[in-house]
């Protein structure tokens, strides 16, 4: 093992941050030995905060309409090959009812930025979910909104908000998004959400086109600055009908390494082992948990729309009923000595 990296992992564990240069060395000089050492340390920290519990989030992908045109995303506006859908309020409430029976105590409503779902519609929906299931947390993941909208959602009972920052390097951001979208605006939204008292999730893709080690170090330092309660990290996976169709997928090993680093930086963070990780690597989600993750997000969307929410190619779990997904996930977690718990799974800090 490289002595320097051993030392950097120890330093990260003690100080919960490193300099930009140190993060770059830690990432660039990875070896299988330093990977294993990092994961062991991340697990120790994770067990201290959350024992062997794994929190479940029921993911409801309620619309694949999107006004944005992010170059990497399969449901971008200009992809005319997408069969667009919106779930009705009744369908969404049914997903929650089914989820509740299956033991979910957090529902994540995720979608493209779809103007059909006005603030009033979202508020009405959230209020109904909260009324039907007062023991559950609601997470929104519907992109960039004005601060007054975020406030109205929060007042309606929304507990958490996921808005990946995508990359904390402004030049890189501009290579992944059209000119109307900016890193400054994305960050402003995240700080607004924090100020409004949400449990906030930022995050990024590993291996997105043009990403460098410097970009990853920027991501880590931004996470340090924001101090989010959740961090979503998954590999980039190309979608054949996007401008990045021919770009390679991100590395599963590097994705796991980033999960381990983030666990050491934020010991109490809610860190999902993502579906994208499970897509590029057999047992990717199990490996994610063993690298320090403590959340999984099985799909609760109706079966007939699953394939239509294709952010990237070959997405797993598009053909299984919600109950099968729950069952399968429970077996996967038990196979590595962890267990799914029936809990809202709030952040410990
Ligand atoms: N519209 C909301 C937003 O912008 O935050 C939420 C939906 S968006 C599709 C959810 C996340 O999917 C993005 O934050 C992005 O990181 C991820 N994603 C999109 N395309 C992807 C791809 N090709 N590979 C991996 N992840 C992707």
């Amino acid at each position: 093992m490289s002595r320097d990296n051993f030392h950097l992992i120890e330093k990260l564990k003690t100080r919960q941050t490193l300099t930009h240069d140190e993060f770059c060395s830690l990432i660039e000089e990875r070896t299988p030995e330093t990977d294993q050492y990092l994961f062991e340390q991340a697990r120790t920290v994770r067990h201290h905060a959350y024992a062997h519990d794994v929190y479940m989030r029921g993911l409801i992908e309620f619309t694949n309409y999107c006004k944005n045109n992010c170059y990497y995303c399969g449901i971008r506006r200009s992809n005319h090959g997408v069969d667009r859908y919106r779930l009705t309020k009744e369908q969404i409430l049914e997903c929650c009812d089914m989820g509740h029976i299956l033991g979910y105590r957090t529902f994540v409503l995720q979608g493209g930025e779809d103007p059909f779902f006005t603030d009033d519609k979202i508020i009405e929906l959230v209020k109904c979910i909260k009324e039907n299931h007062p023991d559950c947390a609601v997470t929104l993941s519907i992109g960039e909104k004005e601060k007054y909208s975020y406030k109205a959602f929060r007042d309606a009972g929304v507990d958490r908000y996921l808005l990946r920052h995508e990359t904390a390097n402004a030049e890189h951001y501009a290579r992944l998004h059209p000119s109307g979208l900016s890193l400054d605006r994305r960050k402003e939204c995240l700080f607004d959400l924090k100020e409004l008292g949400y449990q906030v999730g930022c995050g990024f893709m590993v291996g997105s086109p043009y990403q460098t080690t410097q970009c990853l170090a920027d991501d880590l330092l931004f996470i340090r600055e924001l101090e989010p309660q959740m961090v979503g990290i998954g590999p980039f996976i190309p979608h054949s009908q996007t401008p990045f169709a021919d770009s390679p997928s991100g590395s599963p090993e590097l994705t796991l390494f980033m999960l381990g680093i983030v666990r050491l930086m934020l010991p109490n963070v809610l860190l999902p082992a993502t579906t994208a990780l499970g897509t590029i690597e057999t047992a990717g989600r199990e490996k994610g948990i063993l690298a320090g993750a403590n959340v999984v997000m099985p799909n609760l969307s109706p079966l007939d729309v699953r394939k239509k929410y294709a952010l990237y190619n070959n997405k797993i779990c598009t053909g299984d009923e919600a109950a099968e997904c729950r069952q399968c996930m429970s077996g996967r977690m038990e196979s590595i000595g962890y267990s799914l718990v029936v809990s809202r799974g709030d952040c410990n800090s």
Side-chain angles (χ1 to χ4, degrees):
M1 186 189 302
S2 145
R3 281 198 59 78
D4 278 351
N5 274 346
F6 176 83
H7 162 75
L8 287 179
I9 293 169
E10 285 301 313
K11 188 168 172 187
L12 178 60
K13 199 174 157 188
T14 318
R15 302 203 187 160
Q16 297 173 1
T17 196
L18 293 174
T19 65
H20 195 273
D21 281 352
E22 286 171 334
F23 274 131
C24 287
S25 315
L26 185 60
I27 294 166
E28 271 173 7
E29 289 158 31
R30 283 185 308 123
T31 62
E33 290 76 25
T34 52
D35 280 9
Q36 289 317 314
Y37 186 70
L38 175 69
F39 301 154
E40 273 167 33
Q41 301 306 308
R43 281 200 296 275
T44 303
V45 168
R46 178 252 201 261
H47 293 154
H48 186 69
Y50 294 101
H52 284 67
D53 291 350
V54 177
Y55 297 137
M56 301 187 277
R57 313 307 192 198
L59 181 64
I60 305 171
E61 297 161 336
F62 70 101
T63 173
N64 70 355
Y65 282 86
C66 193
K67 67 181 168 70
N68 287 337
N69 228 353
C70 309
Y71 301 138
Y72 47 83
C73 185
I75 61 167
R76 64 198 299 270
R77 182 184 73 229
S78 294
N79 184 1
H80 300 294
V82 178
D83 187 2
R84 305 279 171 178
Y85 72 91
R86 292 184 178 108
L87 298 185
T88 62
K89 180 176 141 193
E90 289 66 35
Q91 283 177 304
I92 297 170
L93 295 178
E94 274 170 28
C95 293
C96 295
D97 291 345
M98 169 56 71
H100 197 266
I101 292 169
L102 293 172
Y104 291 91
R105 296 294 179 266
T106 290
F107 302 116
V108 180
L109 301 181
Q110 190 182 88
E113 289 199 20
D114 179 358
F116 171 86
F117 284 98
T118 57
D119 290 0
D120 285 347
K121 285 198 176 92
I122 296 288
I123 289 165
E124 165 69 9
L125 187 58
V126 169
K127 284 189 171 163
C128 285
I129 297 175
K130 283 283 184 173
E131 209 173 289
N132 294 350
H133 303 292
D135 54 341
C136 292
V138 172
T139 305
L140 281 182
S141 178
I142 54 173
E144 296 175 16
K145 301 280 176 187
E146 296 300 330
K147 190 173 182 184
Y148 59 78
S149 302
Y150 288 147
K151 171 148 184 15
F153 301 154
R154 180 88 185 108
D155 291 344
V158 178
D159 303 273
R160 309 189 189 120
Y161 205 103
L162 297 177
L163 184 77
R164 288 186 175 182
H165 63 278
E166 311 298 0
T167 170
N169 179 295
E171 276 170 39
H172 186 215
Y173 199 95
R175 300 186 88 164
L176 299 180
H177 301 94
S179 58
L181 298 172
S182 75
L183 177 60
D184 280 348
R185 175 72 191 120
R186 199 83 177 168
K187 283 187 179 179
E188 187 182 26
C189 288
L190 283 162
F191 284 107
D192 284 348
L193 289 161
K194 249 205 124 193
E195 202 185 305
L196 290 164
Y198 283 93
Q199 293 179 41
V200 175
C202 66
F204 57 93
M205 293 173 285
V206 171
S208 57
Y210 311 111
Q211 185 179 68
T212 61
T213 306
Q214 312 281 324
C215 297
L216 290 171
D218 291 343
D219 288 323
L220 294 170
L221 289 175
F222 173 65
I223 288 170
R224 185 69 278 162
E225 183 192 345
L226 179 68
E227 302 224 359
Q229 285 80 16
M230 308 173 279
V231 179
I233 302 174
F236 161 76
I237 306 174
H239 185 292
S240 54
Q241 289 158 319
T242 63
F244 295 148
D246 298 325
S247 302
S249 290
S251 140
E253 290 76 23
L254 184 54
T255 305
L256 294 168
F257 197 74
M258 299 309 289
L259 289 174
I261 292 179
V262 170
R263 171 61 63 199
L264 292 191
M265 290 175 68
L266 300 170
N268 293 313
V269 75
L270 297 165
L271 195 60
T274 59
T275 304
L277 183 54
T279 296
I280 53 160
E281 168 91 11
T282 318
R285 287 164 299 178
E286 291 90 321
K287 289 180 183 173
I289 297 292
L290 292 169
N294 63 334
V295 171
V296 289
M297 299 176 70
N299 208 311
L300 274 183
S301 311
L303 211 48
D304 59 318
V305 302
R306 294 271 187 93
K307 282 196 168 51
K308 299 178 189 171
Y309 198 84
L311 309 180
Y312 47 81
N313 289 142
N314 306 316
K315 189 175 162 199
I316 53 168
C317 308
T318 55
D320 296 328
E321 290 289 358
E324 293 172 73
C325 284
R326 163 74 170 79
Q327 196 61 31
C328 160
M329 191 59 81
S330 171
R332 286 174 182 275
M333 295 302 113
E334 275 161 28
S335 76
I336 53 167
Y338 288 78
S339 37
L340 295 181
V341 290
V342 176
S343 161
R344 277 172 52 114
D346 288 302
C347 185
N348 269 350
S349 58

